């Protein structure tokens, strides 16, 4: 089962992707998490990615594509995977599609989590991310059992640097310009499923399971 998640920053891609990955026992591959882990470990990739991320811009395709194509070749991906935050540009989608095509494979589900911009800024200010495992929570909509502590791994929760309102606005602009065209791209391939991301987390998950369970 090969799945990609589409949607604005803060639409709930990561939240849903984690639940899908657990249920279908496939790896959850988040390019944002990979970049953040590289920044934390001060790698060359992390150093390059940080300036773009802090500015709310995309990391260049050259850096991102190679990383993902490498990752999906790993042994844990044989049964499939869920890509969260990739592809984010048409060139990234073309590179992914052509690498898969070479192996007689394809993306089977592109899940578009639809949330209007007005909701996003409000949502982001309440987002908290685990600094260890990357799990995301929300102070109101998805609180942890213990304040500031990750339910999954007991790591400490932080407000991401790029979740400040100014940076979120920039990321939304970038989304509309560069990522939104992917909705039509995957629509044309007949693999697109759009869900209303303003519904409760469990309701969105139930909607997704309706078509994944087919
Ligand atoms: P969100 O969860 O808000 O959608 P992510 O964690 O997916 O954000 O991404 C955070 C940042 O990492 C992006 O703003 C961008 O700078 C960088 N990034 C993540 N995925 C990609 C990608 N596929 N291409 C380019 N940049 C990316
Ligand atoms: P993305 O990966 O698309 O950037 P996240 O999954 O990190 O988005 O979700 C962004 C924020 O919104 C998080 O704080 C998350 O807990 C919260 N959230 C996710 N889905 C919903 C939902 N359906 N309703 C309300 N809040 C949500
Ligand atoms: Zn954690």
């Amino acid at each position: 089962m090969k799945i990609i998640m589409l949607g604005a920053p803060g639409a709930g891609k990561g939240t849903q992707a984690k639940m899908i990955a657990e249920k279908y026992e496939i790896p959850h591959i988040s390019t944002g998490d990979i970049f953040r882990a590289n920044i934390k470990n001060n790698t060359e990739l992390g150093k390059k990615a940080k300036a773009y991320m802090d500015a709310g811009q995309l990391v260049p395709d050259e850096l991102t594509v190679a990383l993902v194509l490498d990752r999906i070749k790993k042994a844990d991906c044989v049964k499939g995977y869920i890509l969260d935050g990739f592809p984010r540009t048409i060139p990234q989608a073309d590179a992914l599609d052509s690498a898969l095509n070479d192996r007689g494979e394809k993306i089977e589900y592109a899940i578009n989590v639809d949330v209007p911009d007005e909701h996003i800024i409000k949502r982001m200010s309440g987002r908290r991310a685990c600094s260890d495992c990357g799990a995301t929570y929300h102070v109101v909509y998805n609180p942890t059992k213990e304040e500031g502590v990750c339910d999954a791994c007991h790591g400490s929760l932080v407000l991401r640097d790029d979740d400040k309102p100014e940076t979120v606005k920039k990321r939304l602009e970038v989304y509309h310009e560069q990522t939104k065209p992917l909705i039509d791209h995957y629509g044309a391939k007949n693999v697109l499923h759009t869900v209303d991301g303003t519904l409760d987390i469990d309701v969105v998950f139930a909607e997704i399971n309706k078509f994944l369970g087919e």
Side-chain angles (χ1 to χ4, degrees), residues 88 114 174-185:
R88 250 181 162 101
D114 186 31
V174 169
Y175 166 75
H176 284 285
E177 263 168 43
Q178 301 197 55
T179 309
K180 215 174 168 195
L182 295 179
I183 296 176
D184 286 340
H185 176 92

Side-chain angles (χ1 to χ4, degrees), residues 8-84:
K13 300 180 298 297
T15 301
Q16 297 299 327
K18 263 204 153 57
M19 295 162 82
I20 297 165
E22 250 165 57
K23 174 159 182 188
Y24 294 92
E25 299 181 324
I26 50 176
H28 167 212
I29 301 172
S30 155
T31 40
D33 285 353
I34 296 173
F35 288 135
R36 280 184 290 276
N38 274 275
I39 291 173
K40 204 172 165 187
N41 296 323
N42 213 11
T43 67
E44 282 309 309
L45 176 64
K47 283 180 208 159
K48 285 183 192 149
K50 187 174 187 328
Y52 296 101
M53 291 171 75
D54 286 347
Q57 279 162 352
L58 296 182
V59 177
D61 290 340
E62 307 85 87
L63 297 176
T64 313
V65 169
L67 180 99
V68 174
L69 295 189
D70 232 43
R71 177 66 188 83
I72 61 176
K73 279 189 208 139
K74 298 247 160 83
D76 63 338
C77 290
V78 284
K79 271 177 50 190
Y81 40 79
I82 179 156
L83 297 179
D84 165 17

Side-chain angles (χ1 to χ4, degrees), residues 8-16 84 123-124 126-128 136-138 141-142 171 197-201 204:
K13 300 180 298 297
T15 301
Q16 297 299 327
D84 165 17
R123 234 186 226 190
M124 298 300 240
R127 168 153 75 178
R128 298 292 180 273
T136 57
Y137 300 92
H138 191 281
Y141 307 123
N142 187 18
R171 286 160 64 202
T198 65
L199 303 172
D200 284 352
I201 292 174
V204 178

Side-chain angles (χ1 to χ4, degrees), residues 130-133 137 144-146 148-157:
C130 175
S131 54
D132 287 335
C133 77
Y137 300 92
T144 47
K145 291 195 190 81
E146 194 185 333
V149 180
C150 177
D151 286 348
C153 79
H154 301 287
S156 53
L157 301 190

